[in-house]
Amino acid sequence: MDKQEEKCDSICYKYDKMRPCVEWRKKIRKGEFLATIMAAFFAIVITTMLLPGILMLNLADWIYDRLRR
């Protein structure tokens, strides 16, 4: 166990703030890393899912403008 980790008394999150020792705990670091990876993955997936719809709406709008002229 790291000396910095020994200073932490396992109360890392309080209702209004996060204690500095939270960054030293291996369990918390692994969890935060996993949460960051999952957030990036979901952001990419959602963007990938929405992009074709946005492109189709723009294409339909362009076609509609061309037909009205």
Side-chain angles (χ1 to χ4, degrees):
M1 194 181 273
D2 196 6
K3 287 184 180 183
Q4 290 177 335
E5 192 173 336
E6 289 175 5
K7 294 178 187 176
C8 188
D9 59 358
S10 298
I11 302 173
C12 296
Y13 294 101
K14 290 191 175 184
Y15 68 94
D16 62 342
K17 61 184 174 181
M18 182 175 74
R19 294 182 56 181
C21 68
V22 74
E23 297 170 355
W24 300 330
R25 299 194 65 196
K26 292 177 184 174
K27 183 179 178 183
I28 300 293
R29 280 192 303 201
K30 289 178 184 176
E32 288 184 359
F33 177 73
L34 182 62
T36 302
I37 297 299
M38 288 174 59
F41 174 73
F42 286 126
I44 291 169
V45 167
I46 289 172
T47 303
T48 304
M49 289 171 58
L50 292 177
L51 192 61
I54 292 168
L55 292 175
M56 288 304 296
L57 286 173
N58 284 336
L59 179 63
D61 188 43
W62 180 78
I63 291 172
Y64 181 72
D65 284 342
R66 292 288 176 169
L67 293 175
R68 287 186 65 201
R69 288 185 188 178

